[in-house]
Amino acid sequence: MSNKITIDDLTQKLKGPHHKITPQRKIVLEVFIENPGEHLSAEDVHYILRDKGYDIGLATVYRSLELLSDLSILQKNDFGDGCRRYELNTATADAHQHHHLICVSCGKVAEFADDLLDELEDDIMKKSNFKITDHQVTFYGYCSKCQKKK
């Protein structure tokens, strides 16, 4: 059995009384399927689509990304540089998202899947009477290539 996400898997989440599967939304989703693991900005998606010959406006890309994020099809990330980036949301409903490693020199974004914070979450929930449903952790530092340059 394959774990590969298909466009049909994702468009199923768009079906319903409030959302349509527009051609624009479908091609935006295809960009993420064709670029697995990438953290793409709206401008990145727009450039990829224009490079492929699609005539789609940047505002349409922004609206599509926000809707797909609101529907949890995409995960929206803000790494503190003023640029939102998106990636396919592959986590199950009961699992945490992966964490990110950001190189402060070259800007490379890597993923770290191990979740080592379960005990900390339990402690916080007990002490604060706050039900935690998820968390995001971002580590900043230097990737191996940038470390070698120094």
Side-chain angles (χ1 to χ4, degrees):
M1 175 161 303
S2 172
N3 286 339
K4 186 175 180 186
I5 297 173
T6 67
I7 192 70
D8 292 335
D9 296 333
L10 298 174
T11 55
Q12 288 299 319
K13 294 182 179 182
L14 273 171
K15 289 183 178 175
H18 304 293
H19 307 292
K20 295 179 185 174
I21 304 168
T22 65
Q24 294 86 353
R25 291 173 184 164
K26 190 170 183 176
I27 62 171
V28 167
L29 280 173
E30 287 173 354
V31 168
F32 288 93
I33 291 172
E34 293 167 1
N35 295 279
E38 294 292 323
H39 301 81
L40 303 172
S41 68
E43 291 79 7
D44 294 333
V45 173
H46 185 248
Y47 176 78
I48 290 167
L49 291 173
R50 296 292 263 182
D51 198 40
K52 289 180 157 195
Y54 290 104
D55 185 23
I56 185 171
L58 183 57
T60 301
V61 171
Y62 271 107
R63 285 190 302 271
S64 296
L65 291 173
E66 285 301 308
L67 173 65
L68 296 170
S69 174
D70 290 346
L71 295 173
S72 296
I73 296 171
L74 297 178
Q75 180 185 356
K76 184 182 348 183
N77 298 293
D78 184 349
F79 298 131
D81 61 357
C83 180
R84 287 186 180 152
R85 291 181 181 83
Y86 301 83
E87 63 183 310
L88 280 178
N89 184 358
T90 57
T92 58
D94 60 343
H96 290 299
Q97 296 292 343
H98 54 265
H99 305 305
H100 295 97
L101 308 171
I102 314 279
C103 180
V104 296
S105 181
C106 70
K108 178 182 175 183
V109 177
E111 296 176 354
F112 181 76
D114 292 355
D115 191 352
L116 308 173
L117 300 176
D118 287 335
E119 287 182 29
L120 177 61
E121 271 191 15
D122 290 341
D123 190 45
I124 290 170
M125 287 192 293
K126 287 176 188 168
K127 289 179 179 175
S128 65
N129 193 28
F130 185 82
K131 172 76 171 135
I132 297 172
T133 59
D134 199 3
H135 65 262
Q136 291 184 8
V137 177
T138 304
F139 296 95
Y140 296 90
Y142 296 95
C143 69
S144 58
K145 286 183 182 178
C146 291
Q147 289 177 54
K148 291 175 185 174
K149 291 179 188 176
K150 291 194 175 244

